[in-house]
Amino acid sequence: MLALPPGLDPDLLRSFVLIAEGASVTRAAQRVGRTQSAVSMQMRRLEELLGRPLLTRGPRGFALTPHGTWLLERARPWLNMHDEILASFRSAEVAGPVRLGSPDDYVMTWLPEILARFAESHPAVEIEVVCAPSTELLMRLEREELDLTIYSAGNERGQAGLPLWRGPLHWVGAAAHSVHRQMPLRLSLAQPSCIWRRAATAALDAAGLPWRMTYSSSSQMGTHAVVLAGLAVTVGLAGPLPAGLRVLGASDGLPPLPEFEIALAQGSDSPAARALERHIVESFRREEGGLPATAC
């Protein structure tokens, strides 16, 4: 009878994930508070335990083998569940209200899953979500009307918050219309202080393309409604997009847009707010485009 293999040590998987995400044993060792040789030994132990090579060294650091890629996809959610179980049982119950701000651009993309997982591990925390443009949310945070807020980096007036995610900005148009071929290009964007609006108009000016503002809205739903009607184009994330909209690019005659960053600013130091902050930072870190978590 074959003996059952020993269980997987979460510390081994955590070091493996950190190496895979940063392609570096050095950075992984710094994150877990171990020496490089100790982390390297962990990887040898993990590969011996599984009987397959997981990492290969290349000119740009470590790369995943096919077995390593398979393991990484499963190790991330497994570690998340492991950490949430420990946090739920080891820490004192966190309770109380938290007022979370977020632009509506991000609410449907990320918050449902993030808040659902947080509610499972912190059922006594009551979360109130406030949707508004980034500039307004940051002002509300200063007035202590919010406990923490997600916002588009570049809108802040004071100290920057914790970086969460970085990715490209895209032109978005109606799949059934060609308004993007008409000049001057008609735009449906947010208020003038919005970093997305500034990025879009700056890209058009740099490319020498004429434009005019057809519609201005404080919500993404408002800008999308005008675009769906075939009256303008807008900018936003690549997806998921509402039915009838599509990403536009160079083949559509539009200039490239810069990457942008999503950040998190905290105003309250209550246990509930701190718990939600840590959860949001860790959740974004696991997303494609997520930035390394910093101490919080």
Side-chain angles (χ1 to χ4, degrees):
M1 181 180 294
L2 293 175
L4 291 174
L8 288 176
D9 185 343
D11 290 339
L12 300 183
L13 286 178
R14 196 179 309 280
S15 294
F16 164 73
V17 169
L18 291 172
I19 294 173
E21 292 178 341
S24 169
V25 171
T26 302
R27 287 193 289 271
Q30 292 172 344
R31 292 285 303 278
V32 299
R34 294 175 178 264
T35 63
Q36 290 181 244
S37 59
V39 172
S40 297
M41 188 176 298
Q42 282 184 316
M43 291 306 95
R44 287 196 294 271
R45 181 181 170 193
L46 182 60
E47 290 181 331
E48 291 173 358
L49 181 64
L50 297 177
R52 295 288 189 276
L54 304 173
L55 298 163
T56 59
R57 185 183 292 274
R60 297 184 178 179
F62 284 93
L64 291 170
T65 66
H67 287 103
T69 300
W70 187 93
L71 178 62
L72 180 62
E73 293 175 353
R74 289 153 180 82
R76 283 170 170 156
W78 189 91
L79 284 172
N80 178 47
M81 182 176 294
H82 169 272
D83 294 345
E84 289 184 351
I85 290 173
L86 288 182
S88 179
F89 281 91
R90 287 184 176 178
S91 59
E93 184 177 41
V94 177
V98 178
R99 299 163 299 176
L100 171 65
S102 174
D104 67 342
D105 315 75
Y106 311 146
V107 168
M108 294 307 297
T109 304
W110 285 292
L111 283 191
E113 184 177 352
I114 290 175
L115 295 182
R117 290 201 309 268
F118 184 78
E120 290 177 356
S121 57
H122 299 82
V125 175
E126 301 175 5
I127 301 176
E128 174 188 350
V129 179
V130 177
C131 290
S134 292
T135 49
E136 179 181 338
L137 291 170
L138 290 167
M139 287 189 289
R140 290 192 182 191
L141 191 72
E142 291 179 1
R143 297 195 298 264
E144 300 183 355
E145 297 173 3
L146 294 173
D147 297 306
L148 64 160
T149 187
I150 300 169
Y151 66 95
S152 299
N155 287 289
E156 63 272 19
R157 299 180 297 173
Q159 184 178 1
L162 294 168
L164 295 177
W165 183 90
R166 175 177 289 276
L169 196 60
H170 297 278
W171 295 103
V172 176
H177 301 279
S178 300
V179 66
H180 59 279
R181 299 292 185 185
Q182 303 172 13
M183 294 295 156
L185 184 66
R186 289 177 285 180
L187 302 176
S188 175
L189 297 171
Q191 71 280 2
S193 61
C194 175
I195 189 173
W196 287 12
R197 174 167 169 163
R198 299 199 303 268
T201 56
L204 293 172
D205 290 341
L209 297 177
W211 57 270
R212 67 183 179 90
M213 200 63 56
T214 300
Y215 184 81
S216 181
S217 173
S218 60
S219 72
Q220 187 183 54
M221 184 178 297
T223 58
H224 279 174
V226 176
V227 174
L228 281 168
L231 302 178
V233 300
T234 189
V235 296
L237 304 175
L241 292 172
L245 297 182
R246 71 179 182 92
V247 171
L248 305 173
S251 61
D252 299 293
L254 296 176
L257 293 169
E259 289 193 340
F260 74 100
E261 190 171 292
I262 298 173
L264 178 69
Q266 181 184 357
S268 170
D269 199 38
S270 71
R274 294 288 287 178
L276 181 56
E277 177 194 26
R278 289 191 296 268
H279 179 79
I280 291 174
V281 171
E282 182 61 23
S283 296
F284 269 93
R285 189 186 69 81
R286 292 190 298 270
E287 295 285 339
E288 182 178 354
L291 299 174
T294 54
C296 60

